[in-house]
Amino acid sequence: MSKESLRKHLDQLHAELASTERLDASTRASLQALASDIERLLAEDSNESRSLLDRLEAASVKFEAEHPNLARIMSEVTDALAKIGV
């Protein structure tokens, strides 16, 4: 999977975050920070990838029941990161 495809998934994640009303402020901020970290990781080719993947996977599992679309997109982002070697 290309970085372009990953960016598409990130755009979907941002759109889903914007449209999801039932997230508390702390959770929303945490998810937005994850998305920002992924974007920074892609831009800088940083070595923070394992920690970031762990955080993303944990967040995805947390939202599986209440926010299935958000969880699906987060899972796709995780898979995309793995496929490009992050």
Side-chain angles (χ1 to χ4, degrees), residues 30-44:
S30 178
L31 291 173
Q32 289 172 332
L34 272 172
S36 295
D37 289 347
I38 292 167
E39 290 171 1
R40 189 183 76 251
L41 181 76
L42 288 173
E44 299 174 0

Side-chain angles (χ1 to χ4, degrees), residues 7-78:
R7 290 194 191 286
K8 178 183 169 191
H9 289 304
L10 283 172
D11 290 343
Q12 290 174 334
L13 177 59
H14 283 294
E16 188 67 26
L17 282 172
S19 69
T20 302
E21 298 176 6
R22 297 183 304 164
L23 292 177
D24 61 77
S26 174
T27 301
R28 184 176 302 279
S30 178
L31 291 173
Q32 289 172 332
L34 272 172
S36 295
D37 289 347
I38 292 167
E39 290 171 1
R40 189 183 76 251
L41 181 76
L42 288 173
E44 299 174 0
D45 291 325
S46 174
N47 291 327
E48 300 175 30
S49 59
R50 186 70 250 159
S51 171
L52 180 61
L53 286 175
D54 290 343
R55 290 173 37 215
L56 189 56
E57 288 172 355
S60 179
V61 169
K62 179 180 176 180
F63 293 106
E64 188 68 37
E66 288 186 34
H67 306 284
N69 286 336
L70 186 56
R72 178 189 51 79
I73 293 168
M74 291 170 61
S75 178
E76 290 172 358
V77 170
T78 301

Side-chain angles (χ1 to χ4, degrees), residues 1-11 42 80 84:
M1 183 171 290
S2 68
K3 286 187 178 183
E4 183 177 315
S5 181
L6 177 56
R7 290 194 191 286
K8 178 183 169 191
H9 289 304
L10 283 172
D11 290 343
L42 288 173
I84 65 168

